[in-house]
């Protein structure tokens, strides 16, 4: 089994207005995540830096995929346009790279191939356009990037797609390649109404379970609830 979480951590600022990075990692512990794709993991203005301190990640057993780009006073960005990948335990990173997305605002996605047991998974994490004007093109860019990456492992695409509509164009583009994993609403975390956080899986992946993680801690830690997918053999 491998449990993969996707979490828009809102720069570690919770619904109580407090910035608390440790609380984000506590939520991932509640889920029992082996791998986590994060959105809004870095500061947004100026030189981006991680909102999750490196020493805290290391103390909690997390390794970050080398996706960050900018440095400032020794502090590096954790991800690419806020998208980051964390892994721990026996999960190994075999390849990762940043994906540049067509956009009207700064947006990106990240790709990471991870090995667990005798399996390799291609994981894509994304945070898509808020306006909706570029989301379909962004989805196509993700599909193209996953196809061009070396090797051919099955893909799991997760993230904050910012799509409120069930039949939105971006989701239709993705659904032509992968099947959507059934999940409930995740935003806003206090009273979820929108299915903004979604997951799409290659048909070859055995999805044993999937859910929105809606504990009291998760409702406070960020304005989004995390989602998770558990893969079987």
């Amino acid at each position: 089994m491998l449990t993969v979480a996707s979490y828009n951590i809102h720069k570690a600022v919770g619904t109580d207005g407090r910035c608390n990075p440790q609380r984000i990692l506590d939520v991932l512990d509640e889920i029992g995540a082996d791998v986590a794709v994060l959105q809004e993991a870095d500061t947004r203005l100026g030189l981006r830096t991680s909102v999750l301190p490196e020493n805290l990640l290391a103390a909690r057993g997390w390794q970050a995929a080398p996706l960050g780009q900018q440095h400032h006073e020794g502090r590096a960005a954790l991800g690419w346009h806020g998208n980051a990948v964390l892994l721990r335990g026996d999960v190994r990173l075999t390849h990762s790279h940043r994906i540049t997305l067509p956009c009207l605002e700064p947006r990106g996605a990240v790709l990471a191939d991870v090995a667990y047991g005798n399996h390799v998974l291609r994981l894509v994490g994304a945070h898509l356009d808020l306006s909706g004007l570029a989301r379909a093109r962004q989805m196509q860019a993700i599909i193209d990037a996953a196809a061009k990456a070396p090797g051919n492992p099955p893909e799991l695409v997760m993230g904050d797609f910012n799509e409120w509509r069930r039949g939105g164009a971006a989701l239709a583009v993705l659904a032509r390649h992968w099947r959507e994993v059934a999940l409930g609403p995740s935003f806003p975390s206090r009273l979820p109404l929108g299915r903004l956080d979604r997951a799409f899986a290659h048909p070859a992946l055995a999805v044993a379970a999937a859910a929105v993680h809606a504990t009291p801690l998760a409702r406070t830690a960020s304005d989004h609830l995390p989602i998770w997918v558990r893969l079987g053999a």
Side-chain angles (χ1 to χ4, degrees), residues 56-115:
L56 179 60
L57 289 171
R60 302 293 286 269
W62 289 105
Q63 171 194 352
L67 296 162
Q69 189 175 39
Q70 297 172 330
H71 296 259
H72 180 59
E73 296 180 355
R75 293 181 61 198
L78 188 65
W80 170 242
H81 290 291
N83 295 281
V85 178
L86 305 179
L87 56 155
R88 63 180 172 181
D90 294 330
V91 183
R92 308 183 312 280
L93 180 72
T94 62
H95 172 78
S96 65
H97 69 255
R98 301 185 291 265
I99 302 172
T100 300
L101 299 180
C103 56
L104 301 176
E105 55 183 311
R107 293 288 175 179
V110 292
L111 182 149
D113 290 349
V114 298

Side-chain angles (χ1 to χ4, degrees), residues 172-192:
V173 170
L174 209 57
R176 290 198 290 268
H177 294 264
W178 301 297
R179 72 184 192 277
E180 184 168 7
V181 178
L183 292 163
S186 58
F187 179 85
S189 58
R190 290 286 194 184
L191 183 63

Side-chain angles (χ1 to χ4, degrees), residues 154-171:
E155 303 97 346
L156 178 64
V157 182
M158 303 178 74
D160 176 3
F161 295 163
N162 270 320
E163 181 58 79
W164 290 82
R165 301 168 298 165
R166 178 178 297 180
L171 301 181

